[in-house]
Amino acid sequence: MEIKGSVALVTGGGNGIGEAVVKYFAGHGAKVAVVDMVQKNIDRVVKDVQEMGGEAVGIQANVTIEADTARFIKGTIEAFGKLNIAVSSAGIIRDGTMLSLDKETGKVSKKLGFDKWQAVIDTNLSGTFLTMRDAAEAMVNGGWPGLLVPISSVNKCGQVGQINYSSAKVADALMPKIIIGEFLMRGIRNIRCVAIAPGYTATPMLTGMNQDALKAILEDVHLGRLVAPEEIASMIGYCVENEALNATTIEITGGLCYPKGIAK
Amino acid sequence: MESIRYNDMEFSVEKDGDRWTLTYGLPGGSKAVAGAGLFAGLSESEARTRALALVKTIFPVGVRSVGPDVMHPNMIGDLKIVGPDVAHPNFVYWNKDSVSSPKDL
């Protein structure tokens, strides 16, 4: 599938990886729907795309709400007449260990709040499911060639302090296998699904963190720096163009390793 | 083109080559781009009709039902939003243009 002339939808398109994906697609001739929770971020990205000479529409929505998902799919098709690419980049973190102990008594002093669990599962897993499901519905009913791109994470392997995030991201990583298996079973041949699992990426969330902690992270990255959001975006662009890529999850981490050199 | 007023917002549809740009007014008088490169090749009246339909989709009017499971609040930043109980008889679902709806209630 060619990017030029395609219509893409990017959730979380107002900043970070999502913004880079929007601009990559727009810069390569796709029409893009920028979906985000924050209207001012949408306005900024849509204006940037307009100044690039690209085509975009902004749609404020919460990916955890089923009615919002239906609305941003409808809005994309109303604006550009079809949908070919859906990238589910909306994601949040609410880190914390499941249990914390009191240093003196050794008893549990704090549990990870259910609200922190639920919010991350809602956005990173249920939101991805709803976006993929409704985008696929539109692609099937429209008869358009399509690519579904759940955004997973290298921390799908299980990161301490992220039981909520890692649980959601490992499920996101599994989606391509299940979705494409079901598509084969149902005779749906016009849609592919490839998940992307980024490593530590230079988004505002990471670049703004404690610099000592960031340095410690980078010591385990073979590349020696954070992955750029544009590098993630170009990988997704490659997935669009290479039709043999399907039913898989691609890691793009710069060579992230565990301490002592075992690749993650 | 004459502006579109919907849900107390002011929208403009302006021609840019063979396409149309949809903008809307922000508080303070500045403008934001809602969509660029839209409705290629359409006439002004067709673009206006399509723009109004698009505006109604991307800027919906109504009570935003976050939930509706009231036991399952959503977090937006640090703000906890508890959805309205849509099964409660006092819940009114508002899906009319805010300019015209008072007389319909």
Side-chain angles (χ1 to χ4, degrees):
Chain A
M1 186 164 59
E2 284 189 24
I3 297 174
K4 187 175 171 63
S6 294
V7 175
L9 175 160
V10 183
T11 68
N15 66 19
I17 292 172
E19 178 180 351
V21 174
V22 166
K23 290 178 178 174
Y24 182 89
F25 281 146
H28 287 75
K31 301 165 176 137
V32 192
V34 183
V35 178
D36 204 281
M37 287 272 284
V38 183
Q39 187 67 52
K40 69 179 180 185
N41 287 347
I42 295 171
D43 292 345
R44 177 178 53 77
V45 173
V46 172
K47 190 164 192 299
D48 286 350
V49 170
Q50 184 195 29
E51 287 172 356
M52 290 164 58
E55 299 166 62
V57 66
I59 307 173
Q60 194 274 338
N62 181 339
V63 296
T64 71
I65 298 174
E66 200 168 8
D68 271 18
T69 307
R71 188 170 56 78
F72 66 66
I73 300 281
K74 182 170 180 259
T76 304
I77 295 168
E78 279 181 351
F80 298 124
K82 62 177 181 174
L83 176 62
N84 302 112
I85 305 159
V87 181
S88 182
S89 183
I92 59 170
I93 54 170
R94 297 283 186 275
D95 293 351
T97 54
M98 189 172 73
L99 298 178
S100 300
L101 303 185
D102 184 285
K103 282 182 184 167
E104 289 183 7
T105 66
K107 303 288 186 188
V108 174
S109 61
K110 192 180 164 192
K111 297 188 286 188
L112 183 74
F114 185 63
D115 58 339
K116 287 189 174 179
W117 168 270
Q118 193 72 61
V120 171
I121 296 297
D122 281 353
T123 304
N124 297 6
L125 179 55
S126 302
T128 298
F129 163 70
L130 290 173
T131 302
M132 297 297 104
R133 184 195 67 177
D134 287 9
E137 179 190 25
M139 291 167 185
V140 168
N141 290 343
W144 307 307
L147 176 67
L148 305 173
V149 186
I151 299 295
S152 178
S153 162
V154 71
N155 283 348
K156 64 184 165 55
C157 65
Q159 175 65 39
V160 296
Q162 289 191 327
I163 190 170
N164 45 10
Y165 186 83
S166 293
S167 299
K169 292 301 184 181
V170 73
D172 291 333
L174 200 54
M175 283 186 183
K177 303 259 179 232
I178 299 166
I179 289 171
I180 293 305
E182 291 184 357
F183 283 178
L184 184 68
M185 194 169 74
R186 298 291 186 203
I188 299 167
R189 298 285 189 163
N190 57 316
I191 308 168
R192 292 182 291 123
C193 184
V194 181
I196 300 295
Y200 291 104
T201 305
T203 60
M205 186 170 68
L206 263 190
T207 50
M209 72 184 282
N210 177 295
Q211 291 304 297
D212 288 337
L214 188 59
K215 194 177 166 193
I217 286 172
L218 291 179
E219 281 175 7
D220 297 327
V221 178
H222 181 256
L223 185 63
R225 62 167 173 81
L226 296 171
V227 177
E230 293 75 18
E231 291 168 322
I232 309 288
S234 73
M235 170 55 77
I236 295 173
Y238 181 72
C239 292
V240 173
E241 291 172 335
N242 188 332
E243 296 194 339
L245 281 170
N246 200 2
T248 192
T249 296
I250 298 172
E251 294 180 350
I252 174 165
T253 70
L256 181 63
C257 300
Y258 291 109
K260 300 193 171 135
I262 302 168
K264 227 177 187 182
Chain B
M1 184 188 287
E2 191 182 333
S3 63
I4 299 169
R5 189 159 183 82
Y6 168 75
N7 190 26
D8 299 334
M9 296 170 78
E10 195 85 25
F11 296 88
S12 299
V13 189
E14 288 149 21
K15 201 162 176 45
D16 181 13
D18 70 332
R19 295 163 198 273
W20 298 86
T21 299
L22 177 64
T23 60
Y24 68 100
L26 294 172
S30 58
K31 282 189 171 184
V33 181
L38 304 171
F39 320 135
L42 293 192
S43 68
E44 185 172 323
S45 63
E46 289 170 324
R48 186 182 164 83
T49 302
R50 291 277 299 273
L52 182 57
L54 180 61
V55 159
K56 286 186 173 182
T57 301
I58 64 179
F59 293 100
V61 182
V63 175
R64 172 172 288 258
S65 170
V66 181
D69 181 356
V70 294
M71 299 304 291
H72 177 189
N74 277 273
M75 300 299 292
I76 298 174
D78 294 329
L79 183 67
K80 181 181 278 189
I81 309 257
V82 179
D85 182 356
V86 294
H88 193 280
N90 286 347
F91 180 83
V92 177
Y93 189 77
W94 185 314
N95 62 356
K96 301 286 195 299
D97 188 313
S98 61
V99 175
S100 59
S101 54
K103 64 189 175 194
D104 293 333
L105 287 175

